[in-house]
Amino acid sequence: MPTRTLIKNNTYVDSVSLMSISTKAAALDGVVNAVAAMATPMNKEILTNQGLITAEIEASTPGDLVLIVVTDGDEAGADAALEGLIGLLDRKPTGSDTEVTYRTVRAAAAGRPDANVAVISVNGAFAAGEAHHALDAGLNVMLFSDNVPLADEIALKQKAHEAGLLMMGPDCGTAIINGVSLCFANKVRRGRIGIVAASGTGAQEMSVRIHDFTGGVSQLLGTGGRDLSAEVGAIMMLDGIDALDSDPGTDVIVVVSKPPASEVAEKVLDRLAASAKPSVVCFLGAGPEVAEAAKTRGIAFFDRTKPAALAAVVASGVDESTLDLHALNWPLIEEVRAKLTPEQKYIRALFCGGTLCDESMFLALEKYDDVYSNISKDPAKRLRGTDPSRGHTFLDFGEDEFTNGKPHPMIDPSNRIERFRTEAADPEVGVIVMDIVLGYGSNPDPVGVMLPAITEAKANAAAAGRHLEILAYVLGTESDFQGFDEQVAKLTGAGVTWASSSTNTGLLAREFVYKGENA
Amino acid sequence: MTTVSALAVDAALLPDLGGDAGGFVGSVHSVFTSVVNVSAADDQLWSLAARRVPAGPRTVRLAVDAMDDLGLDPGTPVRARGSLLFAGDVVVDLAEAAPWQPAAIPGPVRPDRLAAVDAALAEFGLAGGARPGADPFSRAVAARIADSLDLIADAVARDDAVALRAAASALIGLGTGLTPAGDDVLTGLAFTAAQLGGPLAAITAAVAAVAVPGTTHAVSLTALHQACAGRAVQPLVDVLAAVCGQGDAGRLPETVAALVAIGHTSGTDLAYGLLAAAHLSQSLQTPTK
């Protein structure tokens, strides 16, 4: 593979900056590996073992900084990657006269008395303290950090509740407040449907489906994934529903979550039933007892995102008969089944979004028993992220085991690309499933960074005489800055099948590999 | 001229800075956002640091928020006279600086505290150094660190000084970042060994023997030499003190998190070294059948 090396003599750059440079270099076009290390004898030995040593590196000393980019394109691409690397190294922090850096939340609150929301993303051990400072300063809080102790979460949410403030999170990745997107969110139409979500990509999927069905979003409030646990008791979910109930811009209330604790589900359903506004509940993977509890209260209940979004849009006044409902494409399913050999029987799903992974997994579980995942609630079906795949395997690359010390896979896809190559070489794989998440905060070209691996895998499978089916779901809108149509065009140009929603992704995947009598 | 006050200074550094007669003369070695390293004729570094940097060996903490806007560059002359340090256009006044002098940490290791620190590191520790990251280089580094720590434990148990030195030398200068992960692990290991003593003293001797110029750079070598003398940054001192039963057990997660916050993965790697030595100490304390 074309490789380029840059050596900076007697150069000391702090580790945090080096990590940032290394991560950004790995995301450059065509770069499959990037190294930033001091030229010590031990590092030279590792580089020798990995075939990356050069005479120039051999001649360098421990005070010299070595930067390497390994690419999978041609020599010109490697030169371009080197130029990009030099640019990263030379880049200085940018600022302007209107930008002010505050070193504490308290200082920021004092310096910006007109601000009413603090977005906090620091190490989980310190996050609660910063969130307390923000609440004490009268700010609503969006707490992006995870690894915050449960007791701290409860204390923060109780404090916010008593102060009439929103405490979104911890581990809250998505919100849209008065049309302003925070962290990971898509550019969706403004409208009259309010969402409270205990799952980040679940919230993104709901907002995007509502947009696709010509509806619009008034507010999208995140709660963090543990809010509907028995311990937290949906403090933020209930406050969020209260906020939407009293919001004159909201006509319909939508609630999205993974399965809540049953007694908490009852509280949420009771609160929705007390509102005069119509509501839609989407609890992925919830059992029939929760569905029944919703039904007895007259609340529309769904365990899939797409029909829930449709119900919300219809409740907001859209005529269903005018919509393209994206029915499941059975001719396509038959076509793919015909291409697969009897041995190609497994789904291997590699997701960035936890809720997207969950929805596809739950749909597979309706049809298969041998479903394994790093987010499975069943210990017997749980895999670690580094374990080899078993049966139908669903991996969430946004889990801590993958993100510890690395950016989220929606920004840095390197973990998923590596796993993709492994799965693509497995002759028992019938379909590889991936989500491509667009929107604020995500990779600027999420399909582009996957394309070299996709092209290579397709070519290898063809050389081995088998069809490699790749199914991708692009979560986004035509207004997202990455360009929805361009991203889809890149996928289809590479022979990838494109799904129109999270729900359809799960349904297509499980049907592609079905080998039953009616297949 | 800009005059800044020093908040704290390593008491052991003061003699090196000298007094009115024959004070320190050297130059700036490297400049970072929060730290300026200064080199002397003996290749040992000492540091001027911003207030948020934790206290540590050979460090002068200043009443400033950042160091990279003081106009200091590598090569800028530095000298000391009386209680004043002169570096370029900056004058540092040491007169009111509190002396930093951490107390020795009496062992032994407490098993319940050790388990709690293990759990806290599992929660807060970062991948990329001793904990494998995603890229091939990082995985190779983490695998070698794990293998070398096993070999070090085995060599200590067998009292094999030659094998111990070989295992330590496989770690020095190993890994990405400014201070390679292997150096940070060795620093945590050597500091803990120096504090706990007993059979672990062989580790300190081995690290001191392999930490020589040419194996890694001066920033790492200074930390390694200090660790062999039982001296390390305050968060590492705090974690070892907690492992040995001092302080409030309820504050352990914050204590570990403060260590993990050092550098990118340096804090995590220092903790790995500390825990490796602490587990070894515990196993050597435990009678076997």
Side-chain angles (χ1 to χ4, degrees):
Chain A
M1 287 181 170
T3 300
R4 294 292 182 271
T5 299
L6 178 66
I7 295 180
K8 305 287 279 185
N9 294 323
N10 283 315
T11 298
Y12 296 92
V13 179
D14 70 85
S15 293
V16 175
S17 300
L18 275 182
M19 170 69 179
S20 171
I21 290 167
S22 173
T23 300
K24 287 173 180 168
L28 292 171
D29 273 352
V31 173
V32 294
N33 187 16
V35 176
M38 304 306 287
T40 62
M42 281 303 130
N43 284 341
K44 290 178 189 175
E45 192 178 315
I46 300 261
L47 293 173
T48 301
N49 293 341
Q50 298 189 343
L52 296 174
I53 199 76
T54 64
E56 195 184 8
I57 297 173
E58 282 285 17
S60 55
T61 68
D64 300 336
L65 173 62
V66 176
L67 298 120
I68 301 170
V69 282
V70 181
T71 67
D72 62 357
D74 54 17
E75 297 297 330
D79 288 339
L82 179 63
E83 286 301 313
L85 177 63
I86 292 169
L88 291 171
L89 196 60
D90 292 342
R91 192 174 296 169
K92 303 292 183 199
T94 56
S96 72
D97 292 341
T98 59
E99 287 182 358
V100 180
T101 300
Y102 298 100
R103 294 189 184 278
T104 66
V105 168
R106 276 191 285 214
R112 296 287 173 123
D114 52 338
N116 62 2
V117 179
V119 179
I120 297 172
S121 176
V122 297
N123 185 302
F126 310 112
E130 295 302 324
H132 275 294
H133 292 323
L135 291 172
D136 291 341
L139 297 171
N140 298 289
V141 173
M142 180 177 185
L143 185 51
F144 188 83
S145 311
D146 54 10
N147 285 323
V148 174
L150 185 62
D152 287 335
E153 176 173 351
I154 294 169
L156 285 166
K157 286 183 168 171
Q158 285 173 341
K159 177 184 276 190
H161 174 76
E162 286 161 15
L165 297 167
L166 298 177
M167 179 63 230
M168 297 185 284
D171 201 13
C172 176
T174 300
I176 303 175
I177 310 290
N178 294 333
V180 178
S181 297
L182 302 175
C183 300
F184 294 120
N186 299 90
K187 194 161 185 180
V188 295
R189 190 181 301 107
R190 291 205 71 184
R192 314 229 16 119
I193 300 172
I195 303 169
V196 195
S199 60
T201 46
Q204 287 187 263
E205 173 65 6
M206 190 59 66
S207 67
V208 165
R209 289 279 65 74
I210 287 170
H211 176 94
D212 183 45
F213 288 141
T214 73
V217 174
S218 56
Q219 312 286 348
L220 193 170
L221 307 175
T223 68
R226 290 188 305 216
D227 193 69
L228 272 66
S229 64
E231 294 83 359
V232 182
I235 299 171
M236 174 58 212
M237 176 70 80
L238 295 171
D239 284 350
I241 295 170
D242 283 347
L244 295 180
D245 199 15
S246 57
D247 175 23
T250 297
D251 292 342
V252 179
I253 300 172
V254 179
V255 164
V256 187
S257 175
K258 295 173 186 178
S262 56
E263 67 273 28
V264 178
E266 300 260 339
K267 281 202 296 189
V268 172
L269 294 172
D270 282 342
R271 177 63 190 87
L272 289 170
S275 170
K277 296 181 179 178
S279 54
V280 173
V281 169
C282 179
F283 288 154
L284 294 168
E289 65 287 352
V290 179
E292 185 59 29
K295 187 179 170 186
T296 58
R297 289 166 175 81
I299 296 169
F301 172 86
F302 300 89
D303 61 359
R304 300 179 187 181
T305 51
K306 180 178 154 183
L310 178 61
V313 169
V314 170
S316 74
V318 173
D319 179 357
E320 183 176 343
S321 68
T322 65
L323 300 176
D324 178 357
L325 299 180
H326 305 293
L328 202 59
N329 188 341
W330 282 100
L332 169 68
I333 291 168
E334 296 299 336
E335 186 185 324
V336 172
R337 283 176 178 173
K339 290 178 183 172
L340 300 179
T341 65
E343 291 72 32
Q344 290 183 283
K345 53 185 180 287
Y346 292 129
I347 304 166
R348 297 291 159 75
L350 314 175
F351 280 97
C352 297
T355 304
L356 307 181
C357 186
D358 256 337
E359 181 162 25
S360 279
M361 182 173 69
F362 287 133
L363 288 166
L365 278 165
E366 290 177 2
K367 204 147 188 170
Y368 308 109
D369 291 328
D370 52 344
V371 175
Y372 298 85
S373 174
N374 65 332
I375 56 172
S376 174
K377 299 293 181 207
D378 179 356
K381 297 291 175 64
R382 192 175 303 144
L383 295 176
R384 289 174 304 179
T386 51
D387 287 340
S389 291
R390 294 179 63 189
H392 303 289
T393 294
F394 291 75
L395 292 177
D396 173 11
F397 284 84
E399 279 290 285
D400 288 350
E401 61 189 316
F402 290 113
T403 59
N404 219 327
K406 276 182 78 76
H408 193 278
M410 276 149 59
I411 303 168
D412 176 0
S414 54
N415 280 330
R416 183 163 75 162
I417 291 174
E418 192 179 342
R419 185 65 176 240
F420 172 84
R421 292 180 194 277
T422 303
E423 301 300 343
D426 184 345
E428 288 193 318
V429 169
V431 60
I432 296 178
V433 185
M434 291 185 291
D435 55 346
I436 304 290
V437 181
L438 310 185
Y440 299 109
S442 291
N443 190 294
D445 184 11
V447 173
V449 296
M450 290 298 304
L451 271 186
I454 289 171
T455 306
E456 180 188 338
K458 284 265 187 187
N460 289 342
R466 64 186 167 89
H467 172 71
L468 176 62
E469 181 63 27
I470 303 172
L471 173 66
Y473 168 50
V474 181
L475 192 169
T477 73
E478 71 285 352
S479 300
D480 283 324
F481 77 94
Q482 291 93 346
F484 183 88
D485 290 342
E486 290 87 342
Q487 294 291 309
V488 170
K490 283 183 183 179
L491 285 172
T492 52
V496 174
T497 302
W498 164 59
S500 61
S501 66
S502 170
T503 304
N504 279 19
T505 303
L507 292 171
L508 286 171
R510 77 178 192 186
E511 298 303 333
F512 281 170
V513 298
Y514 186 57
K515 309 289 186 190
E517 287 180 1
N518 296 324
Chain B
M1 280 283 180
T2 304
T3 300
V4 295
S5 300
L7 301 172
V9 59
D10 176 11
L13 176 65
L14 286 170
D16 289 358
L17 297 180
D20 286 336
F24 172 85
V25 176
S27 61
V28 170
H29 171 271
S30 45
V31 178
F32 304 99
T33 305
S34 302
V35 172
V36 168
N37 288 315
V38 180
S39 56
D42 62 357
D43 278 344
Q44 284 283 291
L45 305 182
W46 56 273
S47 305
L48 295 166
R51 72 175 89 231
R52 63 192 160 105
V53 173
R58 299 179 71 77
T59 300
V60 182
R61 286 175 62 232
L62 308 181
V64 297
D65 292 326
M67 297 299 299
D68 55 354
D69 56 3
L70 292 178
L72 302 176
D73 296 306
T76 300
V78 179
R79 60 188 176 85
R81 182 161 296 274
S83 64
L84 298 178
L85 297 171
F86 300 89
D89 288 336
V90 179
V91 179
V92 176
D93 186 352
L94 296 169
E96 301 294 322
W100 179 74
Q101 210 161 8
I105 301 165
V109 166
R110 273 205 12 203
D112 59 328
R113 294 294 191 91
L114 187 53
V117 172
D118 279 336
L121 185 64
E123 185 171 358
F124 299 127
L126 298 176
R131 181 181 287 189
D135 60 285
F137 189 91
S138 145
R139 284 200 301 269
V141 167
R144 180 170 292 196
I145 289 173
D147 289 347
S148 297
L149 288 176
D150 286 345
L151 291 172
I152 286 171
D154 184 57
V156 171
R158 291 187 293 106
D159 195 21
D160 184 342
V162 174
L164 182 53
R165 193 177 298 188
S169 68
L171 286 177
I172 197 156
L174 174 71
T176 55
L178 173 65
T179 50
D183 291 350
D184 289 325
V185 170
L186 278 179
T187 298
L189 193 74
F191 164 70
T192 307
Q195 287 286 343
L196 298 180
L200 299 192
I203 293 178
T204 315
V207 174
V210 301
V212 296
T215 57
T216 191
H217 54 71
V219 178
S220 275
L221 284 176
T222 301
L224 285 163
H225 291 157
Q226 292 297 309
C228 290
R231 313 187 79 241
V233 288
Q234 188 65 47
L236 194 65
V237 175
D238 293 341
V239 172
L240 182 59
V243 166
C244 293
Q246 294 181 25
D248 177 2
R251 296 188 65 80
L252 265 176
E254 290 162 67
T255 308
V256 173
L259 175 58
V260 167
I262 295 175
H264 181 62
T265 61
S266 284
T268 300
D269 299 331
L270 288 165
Y272 263 91
L274 181 153
L275 288 173
H279 278 286
L280 186 53
S281 174
Q282 186 189 22
S283 69
L284 295 172
Q285 288 164 15
T286 307
T288 54
K289 287 183 181 176

